[in-house]
Amino acid sequence: METKNNNSVPKILVFSTEKISDPAIDLAGLLKLHYPATAYTIDIPCSSAIKPRWILHAFEKGFDGVFIAADGTDCPYGESCSEKTAKIMSDTQKMMKEKGIDPVRLKMAAICSICAEAFVNHVKSLAVNLSKSK
Amino acid sequence: MKKKKIGVYICHCGGNISDYVDVEKVKNSVKDEEIVFLATTTMFACADSAQKEIENDIRDNNLDGLVVASCSPKLHLITFRAVADRAGLNPYNYVHANIREQCSWAHSDDKTGATEKAIQLVKGAIKRVYESEALEQITIPAEKVMAVIGAGIGGMRTALDLSSNDIEVYLIEREFFVGGRVAQLGELYNTEETGKELVTRLYNEVKKRKNITLFTGAEAIEKSGSIGNFEIKVRINPRYIKETCSTESLEKAIEVCPVEVLDEFNYGLNKRKAIYKNYDSEYPQLPTIDMDNCTKCGECEKVCSEIDFSMKEEILPLKVGGIILNTGFNSYEPKKGEFGYDEIENVITLPQFSRLIELQKDNKNFVYNKKKIKNIAYIYCVGSRQANIPDGNKYCSRYCCTSNIHKAILAKKYFPEINNFHFTRGIRTYGKQEVFYDESSKQGDIYLQSYIDHLPEVKQNGNRITVKIIDYLTSNKEMEVDTDLVVLVTGMVPRENKDLVNVFKVPLGRDGFFNEIHMKLRPVETVIDGVYIAGASQAPKNIMETMSSSSSAAAAASAVLSKGELSLEPTLAVVDPDACNWCDKCTEACPFNAFTKVEHQGKQVALVIEANCKGCGMCLPVCPTNAIDLIGYTDNEVESLIDGLMQQDK
Ligand code: SF4
Ligand code: SF4
């Protein structure tokens, strides 16, 4: 069951990878590039490892949005990563639709280890979109 | 077994965290949770005394779980795992919460929000530690072999140090000769030795070592695998000359070659042939043929039978435990018109000036472009500290002040009648090099200074070249100097390494140099385990600094590889055989062939071959029956962390 929280600032769960996007998110902090404080990061080894059920679990628990900071072509585990993460993304969006969760609440972008600004921009714009649809 | 007694430590990090996050509030929000045995704040969790206290708490209270909320795990995850370990707690029953980089710093504009987030992050960590399992690191055999990319002075230093530690080395140089930029230098500062002499000394030492194999004209073109067991492919480009060739016939071959091109070794100050060597004592001693310019006219073949145009490139697969990139730097190439470069005659760069002195030092007069040089104007910080240019290089290259002043002293030594005028933006001959500034001032060099808003102007009027400055040192008087030669004191920029960066995926910093994990804590390691960086590939560095970082990269790599085995995170996939129906989807998804089929209670199921599994987790989402978990990232752990992040105060 989906419980939306009442807070006005949308809560976002970020799946980020230890080797590639985590350093970028850390760098954003180091550079004091601000983004909403309601974005929380979970680190995983590779963005192709995210189980759709984890994402659905986040929505069920009340997260308004989920952002996948994907490894893209920088993935240390291989070139198939982008494709595989994209598949997870589309499979999950299908499941979201079935459960009545608006698929736009799940976003993905490749974030390289120095993409601090890109990360901040993605999270900010997801937050804006989520507030609009709230 | 679920944890019952957890210790939670919330770090102030001086004020780095506590200036924005109300750490007391964080503590109070979690201290009453059922499984939290103690919650406390600490000024610096990483300090020795704090570590000792945590250790004692764990031991005295028999804690079975530990959470430290502090800086990025990149810095101190290992520190606190070691604390747990010393206190007899399994290090994997420790969870790190990043409330600095990803909280106090990122949200320093929103203290309430930052505090709220810190509370949720700590709650998440507590939930996760509750689900955590005691794990053992896994040990895998590792190749005691390193690839060192770049055989400049730094790469050779790295190779020698590794070799002394009993590690076999493949030293891979893209050029056909060793020595990199330093081979181009005459007398070096702080020693009387020349660049060539230093290169020769290192090369001779490298050749003596049985466990170093040097490849020249060689490029790494592919990398796969991971720390301890990388496989790389190296392309070896042919020299087109057989090793048995005699010096005399080669000299003849060079003489008869009709092709002449600008000599990059001398930064275009003179010409060389298509078959060439940069200087007599250069190593390896064999010349090479530059195929980009060779017309295959066959003149050289007529006088030297050892020339062989049929030589082909070779691709060599190598197995190595780790890789050290020591690929050096390029000199900044000024833009057309930047301080008159490429527009006004007699405007040259520092590396050209350095070669010019080398080429002319035995002459009576100092001449460039047929013009006798008397007054030399040096313009500093060209290509460095470019606050005025969008996307310009913001850093100070730091070696160029010293290098240039040293060259100005040398120029005056060889040609006493010259006058040196230094147009600076403040001189940075730090440390032991300060003596050169002193010496140059004593020999009568004139120093003028401006700031970024009034950079010197270079103008040409007929035969006259002038440099004008509003000189800060004389209360902003306008000064103009007539010069015969303008030297642009160019800084360092990263080597053009696009292909290499693609092969090794080493992150670059904003400045384009390779990025270390942490300047102070892990200064030669990159986020790619087993790939290290050193020398000027990392940042502008002088020779001494290059040597130190090259040695430290060798030391860091040796510490990991010298045992011939490695301890790795126990992050492995596991299959629940009861849930598995052998649909084979995981085999398809795994890039490392880590699945095999086995019998389990009368049915076929998947089994993970631990030695092959890299812990990427790519197999997790594909399993239709959710039979696969990743150790350390089980459904329980991930989902309870999510629960914790959303857990509201009771
Ligand atoms: S994907 Fe799942 S069910 Fe299919 S073989 Fe692999 S573990 Fe078994
Ligand atoms: S985690 Fe899964 S996909 Fe990745 S290497 Fe191990 S078995 Fe293969």
Side-chain angles (χ1 to χ4, degrees):
Chain A
M1 221 233 343
E2 185 190 357
T3 51
K4 258 202 176 178
N5 79 72
N6 305 320
N7 259 333
S8 58
V9 196
K11 291 203 170 187
I12 297 172
L13 184 68
V14 179
F15 282 100
S16 149
T17 71
E18 217 196 314
K19 300 272 187 292
I20 308 298
S21 50
D22 269 9
I25 303 176
D26 280 357
L27 186 64
L30 187 70
L31 300 173
K32 306 238 158 113
L33 302 174
H34 303 306
Y35 54 93
T38 46
Y40 304 87
T41 304
I42 290 192
D43 69 283
I44 36 167
C46 167
S47 47
S48 305
I50 304 168
K51 287 188 184 176
R53 62 175 271 166
W54 299 345
I55 299 173
L56 295 172
H57 185 81
F59 285 121
E60 273 160 24
K61 287 292 154 172
F63 273 100
D64 299 290
V66 172
F67 178 71
I68 300 177
D71 283 357
T73 50
D74 286 349
C75 179
Y77 298 109
E79 277 149 23
S80 57
C81 185
S82 301
E83 232 174 86
K84 285 178 177 156
T85 313
K87 171 135 183 8
I88 294 169
M89 169 91 184
S90 63
D91 286 352
T92 313
Q93 281 179 326
K94 244 181 253 152
M95 296 181 203
M96 289 168 68
K97 255 192 229 151
E98 281 162 19
K99 288 183 178 283
I101 308 170
D102 188 351
V104 299
R105 290 168 61 190
L106 174 62
K107 275 229 91 99
M108 162 184 135
I111 299 290
C112 75
S113 56
I114 52 164
C115 290
E117 260 174 66
F119 168 74
V120 169
N121 293 338
H122 282 297
V123 168
K124 276 188 182 166
S125 76
L126 178 58
V128 169
N129 290 342
L130 291 169
S131 327
K132 274 191 215 145
S133 60
K134 256 192 159 186
Chain B
M1 211 184 60
K2 307 286 187 222
K3 308 294 152 320
K4 294 189 201 82
K5 288 169 94 179
I6 293 174
V8 181
Y9 297 81
I10 299 139
C11 185
H12 284 248
C13 193
N16 278 303
I17 293 171
S18 54
D19 284 353
Y20 313 104
V21 167
D22 181 346
V23 288
E24 282 302 316
K25 191 170 174 195
V26 178
K27 179 190 84 182
N28 291 331
S29 310
V30 300
K31 72 176 191 332
D32 297 326
E33 296 219 358
E34 219 178 293
I35 53 170
V36 173
F37 183 83
L38 67 91
T40 180
T41 60
T42 159
M43 189 46 75
F44 288 105
C46 58
D48 282 351
S49 54
Q51 291 190 34
K52 205 79 234 140
E53 271 168 44
I54 303 177
E55 242 179 277
N56 291 340
D57 285 351
I58 298 174
R59 226 181 269 117
D60 297 347
N61 303 304
N62 272 324
L63 298 182
D64 58 4
L66 174 67
V67 169
V68 179
S70 58
C71 51
S72 167
K74 305 271 173 300
L75 302 181
H76 282 309
L77 178 84
I78 297 170
T79 312
F80 298 118
R81 272 194 185 159
V83 169
D85 198 32
R86 288 199 297 273
L89 176 70
N90 183 287
Y92 292 90
N93 290 140
Y94 163 65
V95 172
H96 193 107
N98 181 348
I99 59 164
R100 193 178 75 178
E101 281 80 351
Q102 297 193 8
C103 189
S104 70
W105 282 351
H107 314 302
S108 55
D109 59 334
D110 174 9
K111 292 188 185 179
T112 323
T115 302
E116 272 314 300
K117 177 167 175 177
I119 292 171
Q120 299 308 137
L121 289 172
V122 175
K123 284 183 173 168
I126 292 170
K127 285 265 188 195
R128 185 171 190 176
V129 100
Y130 176 70
E131 296 291 341
S132 68
E133 283 163 40
L135 303 173
E136 295 300 326
Q137 288 212 322
I138 43 181
T139 309
I140 56 155
E143 299 281 342
K144 264 181 83 172
V145 185
M146 288 292 290
V148 176
I149 315 283
I153 51 150
M156 289 197 279
R157 177 75 268 148
T158 306
L160 289 169
D161 285 7
L162 288 167
S163 141
S164 303
N165 285 336
D166 227 8
I167 291 179
E168 193 177 341
V169 183
Y170 297 121
L171 181 56
I172 298 161
E173 171 56 52
R174 180 167 67 179
E175 302 294 325
F176 284 95
F177 305 99
V178 301
R181 299 278 173 219
V182 172
Q184 291 168 295
L185 297 176
E187 200 176 294
L188 306 175
Y189 60 73
N190 288 345
T191 61
E192 305 270 286
E193 199 173 30
T194 65
K196 277 181 214 170
E197 284 162 356
L198 174 60
V199 168
T200 307
R201 230 157 20 102
L202 287 164
Y203 177 81
N204 287 337
E205 198 48 44
V206 163
K207 288 313 277 180
K208 273 194 228 153
R209 304 290 177 100
K210 295 215 163 43
N211 58 356
I212 302 180
T213 314
L214 170 70
F215 300 100
T216 49
E219 291 168 83
I221 50 167
E222 253 180 67
K223 179 206 88 174
S224 59
S226 52
I227 182 165
N229 297 286
F230 287 111
E231 279 170 35
I232 58 173
K233 284 205 176 125
V234 177
R235 179 173 56 226
I236 319 245
N237 298 310
R239 258 189 146 79
Y240 304 105
I241 300 170
K242 290 185 200 151
E243 279 195 34
T244 45
C245 198
S246 78
T247 321
E248 300 87 72
S249 56
L250 268 172
E251 271 167 14
K252 262 191 226 136
I254 295 177
E255 207 182 296
V256 299
C257 174
V259 177
E260 284 206 327
V261 291
L262 284 184
D263 178 0
E264 329 67 348
F265 187 80
N266 286 313
Y267 295 99
L269 292 172
N270 55 2
K271 300 241 169 107
R272 68 151 165 81
K273 298 295 182 68
I275 166 167
Y276 74 103
K277 216 160 109 172
N278 293 310
Y279 55 92
D280 278 350
S281 59
E282 192 169 41
Y283 293 100
Q285 283 272 295
L286 215 52
T288 184
I289 299 180
D290 151 20
M291 273 302 156
D292 289 341
N293 291 299
C294 170
T295 55
K296 291 207 177 150
C297 66
E299 289 300 316
C300 56
E301 275 180 305
K302 287 185 202 154
V303 295
C304 176
S305 58
E306 306 295 295
I307 286 174
D308 179 359
F309 284 108
S310 72
M311 282 185 181
K312 294 266 170 320
E313 65 172 44
E314 274 174 70
I315 307 284
L316 206 68
L318 299 174
K319 283 190 141 198
V320 297
I323 296 142
I324 297 179
L325 303 178
N326 206 328
T327 51
F329 68 99
N330 277 351
S331 275
Y332 174 79
E333 168 88 23
K335 309 263 168 323
K336 190 175 167 69
E338 189 174 357
F339 301 107
Y341 187 73
D342 207 12
E343 273 178 9
I344 298 176
E345 264 188 8
N346 284 31
V347 176
I348 64 174
T349 62
L350 172 59
Q352 285 177 314
F353 182 58
S354 167
R355 288 308 306 160
L356 193 64
I357 297 176
E358 270 309 290
L359 295 171
Q360 298 217 7
K361 65 185 180 193
D362 298 326
N363 299 353
K364 207 165 140 272
N365 290 322
F366 196 27
V367 175
Y368 180 66
N369 251 340
K370 301 197 186 101
K371 189 173 187 178
K372 193 174 163 216
I373 307 298
K374 184 131 193 290
N375 288 351
I376 308 177
Y378 305 95
I379 299 180
Y380 284 67
C381 301
V382 178
S384 306
R385 305 170 73 200
Q386 294 173 308
N388 53 335
I389 301 178
D391 297 324
N393 301 322
K394 302 288 183 271
Y395 54 83
C396 162
S397 292
R398 212 176 58 139
Y399 94 108
C400 18
C401 281
T402 312
S403 175
N404 187 66
I405 293 177
H406 177 249
K407 297 292 167 310
I409 293 170
L410 284 184
K412 183 102 181 162
K413 181 171 106 185
Y414 298 129
F415 310 104
E417 74 284 5
I418 62 156
N419 300 310
N420 291 323
F421 296 90
H422 301 261
F423 292 79
T424 82
R425 285 174 57 202
I427 289 295
R428 298 180 177 179
T429 48
Y430 64 101
K432 291 182 183 164
Q433 294 95 244
E434 195 74 31
V435 290
F436 297 114
Y437 186 25
D438 199 39
E439 196 181 329
S440 135
S441 306
K442 282 196 185 127
Q443 76 178 12
D445 286 11
I446 306 286
Y447 283 84
L448 305 113
Q449 185 179 335
S450 65
Y451 285 113
I452 190 82
D453 46 355
H454 274 119
L455 294 178
E457 276 173 40
V458 184
K459 288 238 159 73
Q460 181 162 35
N461 277 320
N463 232 350
R464 254 179 98 212
I465 306 172
T466 57
V467 182
K468 195 166 79 184
I469 190 173
I470 297 181
D471 177 37
Y472 169 74
L473 301 177
T474 49
S475 313
N476 297 327
K477 281 207 175 64
E478 193 177 291
M479 304 272 196
E480 198 176 84
V481 177
D482 258 346
T483 71
D484 307 301
L485 185 69
V486 177
V487 176
L488 305 183
V489 183
T490 43
M492 289 187 185
V493 293
R495 273 250 190 218
E496 270 161 39
N497 273 335
K498 238 192 222 128
D499 296 343
L500 194 84
V501 171
N502 279 338
V503 170
F504 290 106
K505 297 272 193 309
V506 171
L508 304 177
R510 294 191 151 201
D511 51 15
F513 290 94
F514 292 146
N515 236 9
E516 61 283 311
I517 292 185
H518 188 281
M519 270 179 218
K520 294 166 194 149
L521 299 176
R522 297 169 76 181
V524 292
E525 288 166 75
T526 70
V527 291
I528 314 294
D529 289 333
V531 180
Y532 304 81
I533 49 176
S537 67
Q538 205 176 356
K541 285 194 177 119
N542 67 22
I543 293 178
M544 291 175 285
E545 292 157 347
T546 293
M547 291 314 212
S548 334
S549 76
S550 300
S551 284
S552 72
S558 305
V560 176
L561 290 182
S562 59
K563 283 196 237 101
E565 58 177 34
L566 285 179
S567 296
L568 291 186
E569 292 288 291
T571 314
L572 291 173
V574 278
V575 176
D576 170 2
D578 294 326
C580 172
N581 299 326
W582 186 250
C583 65
D584 208 14
K585 289 233 160 61
C586 52
T587 319
E588 270 167 48
C590 175
F592 305 102
N593 295 324
F595 285 96
T596 181
K597 189 163 50 167
V598 291
E599 282 275 319
H600 171 78
Q601 295 179 347
K603 63 168 180 171
Q604 309 266 307
V605 296
L607 179 81
V608 176
I609 308 165
E610 292 192 357
N612 287 8
C613 175
K614 302 269 188 256
C616 62
M618 289 191 185
C619 54
L620 302 187
V622 303
C623 176
T625 59
N626 196 35
I628 315 175
D629 252 331
L630 194 62
I631 297 176
Y633 301 86
T634 60
D635 290 346
N636 277 346
E637 283 167 287
V638 174
E639 289 169 8
S640 57
L641 171 57
I642 295 173
D643 296 350
L645 293 175
M646 275 314 220
Q647 183 187 334
Q648 297 302 317
D649 280 341
K650 287 184 205 119

